């Protein structure tokens, strides 16, 4: 299903400049995303993890070439897909991408499109977009921003915060699920904390706190002892022995282990 989503969204077969999705293409992608939203987390997350490993780099590369004015559906859909992926603490592929050079400029790009006004389509929504922006601010390098406080320039952060405050005042959005409203409230508060604390300190502290819930890459993924082996495919889990590697594979790693590819289909 991950490959089907990439195919339907034309992640690799890129749209020509100035050409948007047709209504049929747009509906097909939305139908697939909505169908996937009905799956349990246990069934849906492996699909999105597989997408993150194989297609995330290509999706971002394609998004960089798009123009919101002429490709509104495509831009909105690509950002929508980003917003429904498992979040970085639970998504090693997304986490690796956001810390790599390929993510340069992505936070600002998403922020500019958000301010300009993209479509908020289910199963995503304003709260998901705010959560995505928060993740980009936390996990991407603060050196991307002009004041080194966060990965988005100060003036653009202010515009994002103003946009979110405006959305929060809309009566129709007050009916959003509580979790989404919380994400919308949290983003402007996060912006204020970024501005009020020494450069980069809020982002780094938040990243460290979130990282506490991520298994150490220095420990075996099964027994938590010191590890000297790395999974040769995903390169995300370490093991102390072949015995533990076999146990890990049989106990669930086989469901979340994929090669991570760059935009050209090479090893990331």
């Amino acid at each position: 299903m991950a490959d089907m989503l990439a195919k339907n969204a034309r992640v690799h077969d890129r749209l020509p400049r100035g050409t948007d999705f047709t209504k049929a293409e747009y509906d097909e992608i939305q139908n697939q995303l909505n169908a996937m939203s009905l799956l349990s987390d246990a069934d849906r997350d492996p699909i999105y993890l597989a997408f993150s490993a194989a297609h995330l780099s290509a999706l971002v590369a394609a998004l960089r070439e798009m123009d919101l004015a002429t490709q509104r559906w495509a831009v909105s859909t690509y950002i929508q897909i980003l917003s429904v992926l498992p979040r970085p603490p639970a998504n090693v592929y997304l986490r690796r991408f956001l810390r790599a050079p390929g993510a340069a400029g992505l936070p600002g790009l998403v922020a500019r499109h958000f301010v300009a006004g993209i479509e908020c389509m289910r199963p995503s929504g304003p709260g998901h977009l705010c959560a995505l922006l928060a993740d980009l601010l936390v996990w991407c390098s603060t050196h991307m921003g002009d004041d080194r406080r966060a990965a988005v320039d100060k003036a653009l952060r202010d515009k994002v915060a103003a946009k979110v405050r405006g959305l929060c005042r809309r009566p129709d959005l007050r009916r959003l699920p509580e979790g989404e409203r919380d994400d919308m409230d949290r983003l402007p508060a996060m912006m204020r904390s970024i501005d009020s604390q020494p450069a980069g300190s809020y982002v780094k502290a938040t990243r460290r706190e979130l990282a506490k819930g991520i298994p150490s890459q220095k420990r075996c993924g099964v027994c938590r002892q010191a590890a000297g082996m790395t999974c040769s495919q995903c390169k995300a889990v370490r093991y102390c022995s072949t015995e533990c590697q076999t146990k890990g594979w049989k106990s669930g790693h086989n469901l979340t282990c994929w090669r991570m590819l760059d935009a050209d289909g090479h090893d990331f």
Side-chain angles (χ1 to χ4, degrees), residues 2 10 40-41 48 52 82 87 106 114 119 125 138 143 150 164-165 169 172 176 183 203 211 220 233 241 259:
R10 299 185 61 172
S40 67
D41 291 348
Y48 279 136
S52 300
L82 288 174
R87 300 181 70 175
L106 177 62
F114 176 76
E119 300 293 334
V138 168
H143 292 281
V164 175
R165 288 193 294 269
R169 290 193 292 268
D172 58 318
L176 288 172
D183 283 328
V203 169
C220 175
Q233 180 160 272
S241 64
R259 284 176 61 213

Side-chain angles (χ1 to χ4, degrees), residues 179-196:
E180 284 197 54
R181 295 199 306 272
D182 288 345
D183 283 328
M184 293 176 69
D185 290 337
R186 191 175 297 119
L187 186 58
M190 181 181 184
M191 302 285 196
R192 291 193 295 271
S193 296
I194 287 171
D195 289 342
S196 65

